[in-house]
């Protein structure tokens, strides 16, 4: 990296010159891809999982090691473990074998990955990243690969190949944008998932994934928040809510016999700007209580997110089960879920075959409108944007969109809800009803073609800063475009990871743009009986026209 700012470190945004990162060289190296090795340096890899976290969840080979070391302290029979693991998964998952066999390397996905666009490394082209695994598959599981070797695109499984897997499978956010453009429908995210799952077998994992998983085992949420602390943090935030609105909100926790259990990512209670969305949920539910909403929160299953998606299929199943176990314990009828990313991909794509169907729950029906959510007939779980859009459609919410006139908004389609469950129209419908100033980013950067935040799948940690900024270039460019053209100053999204990682992305590529959740805007526009004259939003900023009256 030429000319880094000396007062900053590689894990800080200010270390990286924006002009330098903007000049991306997509010219491939002269050497064959099989002959090049990854260059580990601070800023392009994630720290390994701590031994205590591996022990907590029962994963193998817990030890201290570092990616920049020559010796990664692998088991003596690491090669046997990996090949047996691959054989087992080829037998278990038909999709894995299919994806290994049918790729014709047409290149349709080559320029679709945000890490390749922003970084220029050919091995971050989805087709080539998949070849890292596919080449070993050919060598060990196909006749052509065994006989012809390299001529058939096959190679041996070596120590350097394992290091290459670790380097590149943790430079994939499993966003699935490449899959949208694949003429054969290959889900490259599934290949990354298998790659990571194999690495787990020999103790190669990252702490930014495994610590949240271990925390979820221990406390029921990724952040490691104890049940009593979760309740106290909620009460603290609701004091701010009361200061802004004059309304005292008193939610119920762990209440047996409630009709609905609400579950949302713990990241929203832990840090800004997610906290404002968290406050928004409470304000909306308070408003609806007089209309028949019977809802409770859990301090035990206090996590909607599922970092198992970045670990293994078995871990997905184990973490997803806690929500349904808690629903059964409390005796609720159905589950309402908050603004999250991977929670919804798991629910819509894996739940039925892993944990479902949830026959002990009822098919969700809105107690306010009577709408039956038939799309949740099996999972018994409804997205908060579907729920709120239905309320607005039936004129059940008194809204004043002018309360959001002090902001100009665009919408980022979070990868998992958009591509993983088709949640495209509901958030936009909600935003347009609570906000007067809304503008879309360019068509090829939104909806199914949305660009990733570059921090999902466990990559949103500061030691990965260079790759996050490089991978964030495509989304950053789109945000900057509407910022300059329309004066956009807020980027809305429906994912807790986005609300955390997009802050850095916007600060770097589109300074001046803040990040918000959809339900922060909903609650800000909501006219609640008994509230005082509103002069501020949830962030204590003056509403438009209230600059002199606001008690800042």
């Amino acid at each position: 990296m030429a000319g880094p700012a000396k007062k900053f470190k590689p894990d800080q945004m200010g270390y990286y010159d924006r002009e330098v990162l903007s000049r991306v060289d997509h010219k491939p190296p002269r050497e064959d891809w099989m002959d090049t090795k990854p260059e580990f340096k601070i800023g392009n890899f994630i720290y390994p999982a701590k031994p205590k976290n591996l022990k907590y969840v029962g994963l193998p080979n817990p030890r201290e090691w570092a990616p920049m070391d020559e010796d990664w302290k692998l088991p003596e029979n690491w090669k046997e473990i990996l090949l047996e693991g691959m054989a087992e998964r080829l037998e278990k998952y038909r999709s894995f074998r299919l994806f290994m066999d049918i790729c014709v390397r047409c290149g349709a996905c080559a320029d679709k990955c945000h890490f390749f666009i922003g970084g220029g490394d050919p091995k971050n082209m989805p087709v080539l990243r998949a070849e890292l695994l596919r080449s070993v598959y050919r060598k060990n599981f196909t006749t052509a690969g065994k006989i012809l070797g390299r001529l058939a695109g096959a190679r041996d499984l070596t120590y350097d190949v394992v290091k290459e897997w670790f380097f590149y499978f943790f430079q994939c956010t499993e966003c699935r944008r490449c899959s949208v453009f694949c003429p054969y429908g290959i889900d490259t995210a599934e290949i990354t998932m298998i790659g990571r799952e194999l690495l787990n077998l020999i103790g190669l994992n990252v702490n930014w994934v495994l610590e949240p998983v271990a925390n979820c085992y221990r406390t029921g949420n990724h952040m490691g928040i104890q049940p009593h602390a979760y309740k106290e943090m909620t009460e603290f935030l609701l004091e701010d809510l009361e200061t802004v609105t004059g309304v005292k909100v008193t939610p119920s926790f762990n209440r047996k016999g409630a009709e609905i259990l609400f579950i949302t990512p713990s990241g929203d209670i832990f840090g800004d700007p997610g906290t404002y969305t968290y406050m928004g949920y409470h304000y909306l539910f308070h408003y609806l209580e007089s209309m028949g909403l019977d809802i409770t929160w859990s301090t035990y299953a206090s996590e909607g997110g599922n970092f198992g998606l970045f670990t293994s299929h078995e871990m997905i199943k184990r973490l997803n089960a806690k929500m349904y176990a808690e629903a059964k314990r409390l005796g609720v009828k159905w589950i309402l879920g908050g603004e999250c990313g991977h929670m919804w991909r798991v629910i819509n794509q894996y739940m039925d075959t892993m944990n479902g169907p949830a026959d002990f729950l009822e098919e969700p029906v809105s107690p306010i409108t009577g709408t039956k959510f038939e799309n949740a007939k099996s999972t018994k779980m409804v997205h908060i944007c579907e729920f709120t859009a239905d309320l607005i459609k039936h004129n059940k919410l008194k809204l004043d969109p002018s309360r959001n006139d002090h902001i100009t908004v665009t919408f980022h389609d979070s990868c998992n809800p958009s591509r993983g469950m088709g949640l495209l129209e509901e958030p936009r419908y909600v935003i347009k009803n609570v906000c007067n100033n809304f503008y879309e980013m360019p068509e090829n950067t939104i909806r199914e073609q949305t660009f990733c935040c570059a921090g999902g799948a466990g990559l949103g940690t500061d030691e990965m800063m260079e790759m996050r900024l490089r991978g964030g270039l495509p989304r950053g460019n789109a945000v900057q475009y509407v910022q300059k053209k329309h004066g956009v100053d807020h980027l809305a999204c429906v994912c807790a990871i986005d609300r955390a990682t997009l802050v850095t992305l916007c600060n770097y590529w589109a300074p001046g743009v803040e990040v918000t959740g959809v339900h922060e805007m909903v609650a800000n526009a909501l006219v609640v009986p008994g509230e005082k004259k509103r002069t501020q939003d949830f962030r204590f900023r003056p509403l438009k026209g209230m600059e002199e009256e606001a008690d800042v």
Side-chain angles (χ1 to χ4, degrees), residues 38-49:
E39 179 187 354
F40 286 89
K41 63 178 182 178
I42 301 298
N44 72 1
F45 69 88
I46 309 171
Y47 298 149

Side-chain angles (χ1 to χ4, degrees), residues 306-527:
N306 192 323
F307 270 50
L309 189 64
F310 318 137
T311 310
S312 69
H313 289 79
E314 179 61 26
M315 199 66 74
I316 296 173
K317 180 178 180 178
R318 291 161 75 178
L319 296 188
N320 187 61
K322 75 180 185 304
M323 298 191 297
Y324 288 89
E326 181 69 346
K328 192 171 187 177
R329 184 184 75 87
L330 294 177
V332 300
K333 293 182 179 179
W334 56 278
I335 304 172
L336 182 64
E339 296 180 15
C340 183
H342 33 89
M343 170 171 74
W344 289 105
R345 186 178 176 202
V346 170
I347 293 298
N348 281 270
Q349 295 191 325
Y350 299 105
M351 164 63 191
D352 275 349
T353 53
M354 286 186 171
N355 304 102
D359 292 335
F360 60 91
L361 296 174
E362 297 181 11
E363 185 174 344
V365 177
S366 171
I368 314 299
T369 67
T371 296
K372 181 177 287 187
F373 295 98
E374 295 182 357
N375 59 312
K377 188 173 184 178
S378 177
T379 65
K380 312 298 193 296
M381 193 163 178
V382 175
H383 194 288
I384 186 68
C385 282
E386 297 172 300
F387 182 72
T388 302
D390 177 64
L391 292 170
I392 294 173
K393 181 180 179 180
H394 288 87
N395 298 312
K396 297 298 183 181
L397 302 182
K398 185 176 182 181
L399 299 168
D400 180 3
S402 69
R403 288 183 177 179
N404 286 314
D405 280 354
H406 62 304
I407 62 176
T408 303
V409 181
T410 191
F411 179 65
H412 163 76
D413 291 274
S414 302
C415 300
N416 285 307
S418 60
R419 283 188 283 262
M421 70 175 291
L423 192 80
L424 303 172
E425 302 304 329
E426 292 88 344
R428 288 174 167 82
Y429 179 77
V430 172
I431 291 172
K432 291 175 182 177
N433 277 276
V434 302
C435 177
N436 291 319
N437 308 313
F438 173 70
Y439 298 93
E440 292 276 19
M441 287 180 279
E443 186 177 353
N444 63 340
T445 71
I446 59 174
R447 299 179 184 273
E448 292 93 341
Q449 298 185 46
T450 185
F451 276 110
C452 183
C453 68
L459 275 63
T461 177
D462 288 349
E463 69 259 24
M464 192 71 163
M465 186 59 72
E466 180 180 343
M467 291 308 302
R468 285 177 57 191
L469 297 177
R470 288 186 179 279
L473 172 62
R475 172 48 77 222
N477 277 346
V479 175
Q480 188 184 74
Y481 173 80
V482 288
Q483 181 188 34
K484 291 180 177 180
K485 185 173 182 178
H486 301 295
V488 163
D489 53 24
H490 278 70
L491 177 61
C493 60
V494 290
C495 172
I497 285 182
D498 282 336
R499 280 191 286 276
T501 60
L502 286 172
V503 171
T504 300
L505 185 152
C506 288
N507 287 341
Y508 190 80
W509 293 112
V513 176
E514 297 186 48
V515 179
T516 179
V518 170
H519 278 78
E520 176 187 348
M521 295 189 294
V522 170
N524 201 51
L526 193 61
V527 181

Side-chain angles (χ1 to χ4, degrees), residues 533-544:
K533 182 179 179 181
R534 289 289 304 278
T535 60
Q536 297 173 316
D537 66 10
F538 287 5
R539 306 187 187 202
F540 293 97
R541 301 175 303 190
L543 303 182
K544 187 174 182 179

Side-chain angles (χ1 to χ4, degrees), residues 170-187:
F170 285 100
Q171 286 186 17
C172 171
T173 51
E174 302 179 17
C175 80
R176 303 173 73 238
R177 187 174 193 266
C178 50
S179 302
V180 172
F181 298 90
C182 177
Y184 288 91
I186 295 172
D187 190 338

Side-chain angles (χ1 to χ4, degrees), residues 158-362:
T158 66
Y159 210 94
D160 285 335
V161 167
V162 172
K163 291 186 175 184
E164 188 178 53
W165 283 4
F166 180 84
F167 189 77
Y168 288 104
F169 287 141
F170 285 100
Q171 286 186 17
C172 171
T173 51
E174 302 179 17
C175 80
R176 303 173 73 238
R177 187 174 193 266
C178 50
S179 302
V180 172
F181 298 90
C182 177
Y184 288 91
I186 295 172
D187 190 338
T188 309
E190 292 277 354
I191 296 175
T192 292
M193 289 167 65
I194 292 291
R196 292 188 181 189
E197 193 166 316
L198 292 172
L199 291 171
N200 272 315
L201 298 177
I202 55 174
L204 296 180
N205 14 54
V206 298
N207 202 60
W208 198 248
V209 171
L210 262 295
E211 185 157 315
V213 169
N215 284 340
C216 228
Y217 268 57
R218 186 167 52 86
T219 67
N221 60 70
H222 290 153
M223 307 308 299
I225 305 169
Q226 296 284 357
H228 67 279
Y230 190 92
K231 188 172 182 292
E232 290 170 358
M233 292 167 76
T234 298
E235 291 168 351
F236 176 81
L237 292 173
L238 294 184
E239 288 178 5
D240 282 354
L241 182 62
E242 185 175 2
T243 300
V244 171
T245 66
V247 175
K248 186 174 182 62
V249 176
T250 54
S252 76
F253 294 94
N254 310 318
R255 179 165 55 87
K256 291 186 177 182
E259 180 181 1
I260 303 168
L261 170 63
F262 183 72
I263 300 179
T264 197
S266 62
D268 279 346
I269 195 176
F270 190 78
D272 300 340
T275 52
Y276 308 117
T277 297
Y278 185 80
M279 292 159 65
Y281 297 144
H282 282 282
Y283 206 48
L284 174 63
F285 297 159
H286 173 82
Y287 177 92
L288 296 172
E289 282 177 1
S290 64
M291 303 170 66
L293 183 71
D294 181 19
I295 196 165
T296 192
W297 299 63
S298 172
T299 60
Y300 301 106
S302 49
E303 181 62 69
N306 192 323
F307 270 50
L309 189 64
F310 318 137
T311 310
S312 69
H313 289 79
E314 179 61 26
M315 199 66 74
I316 296 173
K317 180 178 180 178
R318 291 161 75 178
L319 296 188
N320 187 61
K322 75 180 185 304
M323 298 191 297
Y324 288 89
E326 181 69 346
K328 192 171 187 177
R329 184 184 75 87
L330 294 177
V332 300
K333 293 182 179 179
W334 56 278
I335 304 172
L336 182 64
E339 296 180 15
C340 183
H342 33 89
M343 170 171 74
W344 289 105
R345 186 178 176 202
V346 170
I347 293 298
N348 281 270
Q349 295 191 325
Y350 299 105
M351 164 63 191
D352 275 349
T353 53
M354 286 186 171
N355 304 102
D359 292 335
F360 60 91
L361 296 174
E362 297 181 11

